[in-house]
Amino acid sequence: MDRDDGVLEAPYRLEYTYQRSTGPVIGRFLTGLRDGQLEGVRTAAGTVMVPPLEYDTQGAATGEAVKVGPAGTVTTWAWVTEPRREHPLTQPFAWALIKLDGADTAMLHAVDAGSIAAMRTGLRVTPRWRAARTGSIRDLECFIPADAASAAVADAAAAAPSVTLFPSPVRLDYTVTAGHHLSVYLRAMQDKRIVGGRCPSCTKVYLPPRGACPTCGVPAAETVDVADHGVVTTFCIIRIPFDAAPFPPPYVAVAVLLEGADLPIYHLVRGIEPEQARMGMRVKAVWVPDEQLGPTLASIKWFEPTGEPDADRAQIERHL
Amino acid sequence: MSRAGHRHRDVAIISFAQLPPVARDAARDEAELVQPVVNQALAEAGLTRKDIGFTVSGSCDYLIGRPFSFVSALDGVAPWPPIAESHVEMDGAWALYEAWVRLQQGDVDTALVYAYGKSSLGDLPAILTTQLDPYYLAPLGIDGISLAALQARALLDSGRASERDLAAVAAARRGGDAAALLGAAYTVAPLRAHDCPTVADGACAVVLAAGDVARRSARKAWIRGIDHRVEPHQLGSRDLTCSPSTTTAAEHAGVASLGAIDVAELHAPFSHQELILRDALGLGASVSINPSGGALVANAMMVAGLARIGSAAARIHDGTARTAVAHATSGPCLQQNLVCALAAEVSP
């Protein structure tokens, strides 16, 4: 995608598919939720903490489980008019800290109050349980005003093992930007040009260009064209198949020092048996057909040997 | 002098530079955000890279979704030949704390501290959810504005502030008329848009010096004390209407020994948090609060706390203040707080 400021951007999703182990204290609470029960834990000072933690705020280990609720009292609240994707309810709702009956600390959850006018600090609320429960804080769908509650009792749970693990996925969506210098580099690719950036101080040509010369501390802003051929500085042979592999193994990945550049770029070499790959080999870019060119390094399909005599090691030594 | 009577090595902030915060800076990558502020801070300090004994930064890779973005940012510092460097995945104010501790060792006299943040690439409320308790809070998907709204309601319920007081803070920082602001719709009630921070992309840098380098420096704001304290992560175990960790940090930073405080730069991303912090620090009406505009007006994530310290120091540098208190916060509802006491004169 292209914005009017000339900077390339693209959607990007970061996901972690973690599971979390609960430990005995949190596991007992989540097991209780799955079974339709609310439990706190007694602290060394004799108070009841909900939701339970392993240690109290003074650092003392907490002890026995204590039944609490199911009803409770709102101690503070906030009204959401436009729920987010991650929120527990899709209609406008309140977040609330709720002190369950028998507890000394308040827990966070959502209250499905219908309207902001129905919410107040001190409101009595009671849980609305999900029918299908797995051992999660979201087994409580939300709380509802107590006077609206017909049946706050959860369905009896079948005997099942204690909760020790639960899925804890993270999903974050970004629109990443390439920045000015990388955008210039990527855009040139669609014209079969390779553009580097020269540091005015050390005169080194960076590929891709970058806004900051890491040795001189000044912008490496002057753009210069570099050749689409150069010398292999180092290489490796991939022999293990994996999902994103571009070819069936074995194939060769190389660092290529293009003529006119001081830093190598990383790409693939085809057109030789892997065993023939070597440092100093001269190679040339093979571009995709013109109609497939785009602002991406993938505009170069791969590199192929030119057949010219290899470069001396002295020519690449500084770039290893 | 700390409260315990242990003599610290005197350290001064000798320069501060920041980018004007903007809503979106798509053209610059992290190194390009860092490079201009580092160059400017060094130039104002009259130092070069070679003169710096220790470098430390604060940033958060989740903001741009790129692992080790803080390593990429190092290009902006020109870390060659190899430098002594560290990083905190926090606001740069905590990087400054690390630098101050490092200078206490006495073998180096200078430190460069910088911070950068680029929130425009991601969905900040969702990113901030990932810093929460993964068992009881993160699965509910509660976002930073909702958490702040719970705190604001608790403060209103306590009777110590009204929605008009919140609007007055917003009007003081943003300009405008408090009464008119109250006509706006709620964002997450009881917070309105003017009560919530204007999120920005930005960067800033500070140079610290000790010993002869500090004494020779043209500008110096002496760090008379610095401390940070944290509160329980479980929201229900806290009194959200006050900030005991700020009060404790201020005690240990020796704020009381400053005498009259001219300026306070408070890292209050939300209007009600400025009221809580003023109470926690016991700041009277004579104190000029957030003359920089503060984090309500420009909340560059991971930058705004260090920028409070830098902005307070700049007031001492330009002679408009003799004493200043700077504050930085981290986590939901002012969970963790850092207080730095600054003065034009070195510790007696």
Side-chain angles (χ1 to χ4, degrees):
Chain A
M1 251 189 352
D2 188 2
R3 289 176 61 99
D4 49 15
D5 51 13
V7 172
L8 292 165
E9 62 178 37
Y12 172 65
R13 178 170 292 172
L14 185 65
E15 285 186 295
Y16 298 107
T17 54
Y18 291 129
Q19 294 201 82
R20 287 190 182 272
S21 54
T22 61
V25 175
I26 292 171
R28 187 170 60 203
F29 178 74
L30 296 180
T31 302
L33 292 182
R34 186 199 61 197
D35 297 343
Q37 303 286 332
L38 282 159
E39 284 183 1
V41 71
R42 195 170 304 283
T43 68
T47 62
V48 175
M49 181 198 285
V50 184
L53 296 175
E54 294 83 354
Y55 298 92
D56 66 18
T57 56
Q58 305 304 309
T62 53
E64 58 173 346
V66 181
K67 289 258 186 297
V68 293
T73 304
V74 170
T75 63
T76 186
W77 58 280
W79 187 258
V80 176
T81 48
E82 291 174 26
R84 295 174 52 83
R85 179 184 67 82
E86 307 85 358
H87 287 170
L89 294 169
T90 54
Q91 67 274 29
F93 70 97
W95 292 111
L97 285 173
I98 299 160
K99 195 176 278 192
L100 294 173
D101 294 347
D104 293 293
T105 61
M107 67 180 274
L108 179 86
H109 221 293
V111 177
D112 186 8
S115 77
I116 188 170
M119 276 308 297
R120 60 183 170 82
T121 300
L123 182 72
R124 295 283 297 164
V125 293
T126 192
R128 183 160 81 207
W129 296 93
R130 283 181 200 282
R133 298 188 297 274
T134 59
S136 157
I137 191 73
R138 293 187 76 152
D139 286 350
L140 289 162
E141 185 187 3
C142 61
F143 283 74
I144 51 175
D147 54 9
S150 49
V153 180
D155 305 333
S162 294
V163 174
T164 57
L165 205 65
F166 72 101
S168 182
V170 172
R171 182 186 121 184
L172 296 170
D173 285 303
Y174 297 87
T175 302
V176 291
T177 55
H180 171 72
H181 299 280
L182 204 51
S183 295
V184 168
Y185 169 77
L186 293 172
R187 238 177 248 296
M189 288 280 170
Q190 59 194 356
D191 303 325
K192 292 198 206 177
R193 284 171 54 234
I194 304 172
V195 172
R198 193 195 314 270
C199 171
S201 174
C202 65
T203 74
K204 201 175 268 187
V205 174
Y206 288 98
L207 196 64
R210 46 175 95 183
C213 173
T215 56
C216 301
V218 295
E222 185 201 348
T223 55
V224 293
D225 278 24
V226 304
D228 71 348
H229 57 266
V231 176
V232 171
T233 58
T234 185
F235 68 96
C236 68
I237 302 170
I238 290 92
R239 298 186 182 277
I240 300 167
F242 60 100
D243 282 351
F247 310 111
Y251 60 95
V252 182
V254 292
V256 186
L257 184 68
L258 297 176
E259 197 174 300
D262 288 290
L263 262 74
I265 61 167
Y266 298 92
H267 220 296
L268 304 169
V269 162
R270 304 286 276 173
I272 50 162
E273 291 303 317
E275 287 68 26
Q276 295 171 345
R278 59 202 181 273
M279 294 164 75
M281 185 169 64
R282 295 187 188 273
V283 293
K284 183 173 174 45
V286 177
W287 296 84
V288 298
D290 285 0
E291 64 276 13
Q292 290 172 27
L293 289 167
T296 162
L297 186 58
S299 289
I300 297 175
K301 276 206 295 193
W302 54 69
F303 284 79
E304 278 181 356
T306 64
E308 297 164 272
D310 288 359
D312 291 342
R313 186 175 170 102
Q315 203 179 327
I316 58 172
E317 202 140 49
R318 190 165 71 81
H319 303 283
L320 295 176
Chain B
M1 192 81 75
S2 78
R3 214 170 62 146
H6 174 71
R7 179 79 197 193
H8 292 128
R9 190 177 187 214
D10 292 317
V11 172
I13 295 172
I14 61 170
S15 71
F16 168 59
Q18 65 178 330
L19 290 181
V22 295
R24 175 184 152 94
D25 191 335
R28 285 194 265 211
D29 64 23
E30 49 269 54
E32 292 170 280
L33 289 173
V34 166
Q35 190 182 69
V37 293
V38 164
N39 285 345
Q40 190 188 335
L42 287 169
E44 286 185 6
L47 300 174
T48 70
R49 285 170 171 69
K50 306 275 178 286
D51 301 320
I52 295 295
F54 182 64
T55 300
V56 58
S57 61
S59 67
C60 176
D61 286 355
Y62 279 88
L63 289 180
I64 64 172
R66 180 172 168 184
F68 296 99
S69 91
F70 69 95
V71 176
S72 305
L74 267 174
D75 279 2
V77 186
W80 187 265
I83 61 172
E85 183 268 340
S86 184
H87 174 258
V88 297
E89 194 79 1
M90 294 188 78
D91 188 287
W94 276 264
L96 183 141
Y97 182 84
E98 182 178 334
W100 179 84
V101 171
R102 180 68 186 80
L103 289 172
Q104 296 306 315
Q105 288 190 318
D107 59 324
V108 293
D109 289 336
T110 52
L112 169 66
V113 185
Y114 64 90
Y116 70 93
K118 201 165 169 175
S119 299
S120 61
L121 305 184
D123 178 5
L124 186 60
I127 290 167
L128 291 180
T129 301
T130 63
Q131 76 175 334
L132 302 173
D133 172 337
Y135 301 98
Y136 299 144
L137 295 182
L140 294 172
I142 189 165
D143 54 279
I145 291 178
S146 295
L147 286 163
L150 287 168
Q151 182 180 37
R153 172 81 59 197
L155 182 67
L156 297 176
D157 285 344
S158 75
R160 300 208 305 275
S162 65
E163 291 186 33
R164 182 171 292 270
D165 295 329
L166 270 53
V169 170
R173 303 295 154 252
R174 298 179 184 278
D177 172 57
L181 289 177
L182 286 173
Y186 290 118
T187 303
V188 176
L191 297 177
R192 297 176 171 85
H194 59 250
D195 296 313
C196 303
T198 304
V199 177
D201 291 350
C204 73
V206 163
V207 176
L208 299 182
D212 288 343
V213 183
R215 280 185 287 276
R216 281 199 307 266
S217 176
R219 284 177 297 254
K220 35 198 175 266
W222 294 99
I223 297 176
R224 297 279 285 267
I226 184 168
D227 194 69
H228 66 95
R229 301 280 155 162
V230 68
E231 296 180 35
H233 69 83
Q234 196 176 53
L235 291 170
S237 294
R238 290 174 52 191
D239 178 352
L240 297 177
T241 68
C242 53
S243 184
S245 55
T246 299
T247 304
T248 306
E251 276 171 34
H252 286 261
V255 169
S257 71
L258 286 178
I261 295 162
D262 295 332
V263 167
E265 282 285 343
L266 308 178
H267 186 186
F270 295 88
S271 59
H272 68 277
Q273 293 178 341
E274 184 179 308
L275 300 175
I276 292 171
L277 291 168
R278 268 151 58 169
D279 271 1
L281 291 164
L283 301 176
S286 65
V287 183
S288 167
I289 294 187
N290 285 350
S292 70
L296 189 64
V297 176
N299 193 30
M301 299 300 296
M302 307 296 134
V303 177
L306 181 60
R308 301 283 72 70
I309 300 175
S311 297
R315 296 299 302 271
I316 291 176
H317 290 163
D318 70 15
T320 53
R322 302 296 294 167
T323 56
V325 173
H327 158 271
T329 196
S330 179
C333 302
L334 303 173
Q335 187 194 1
Q336 184 167 7
N337 295 284
L338 179 149
V339 176
C340 181
L342 295 164
E345 276 83 42
V346 72
S347 299

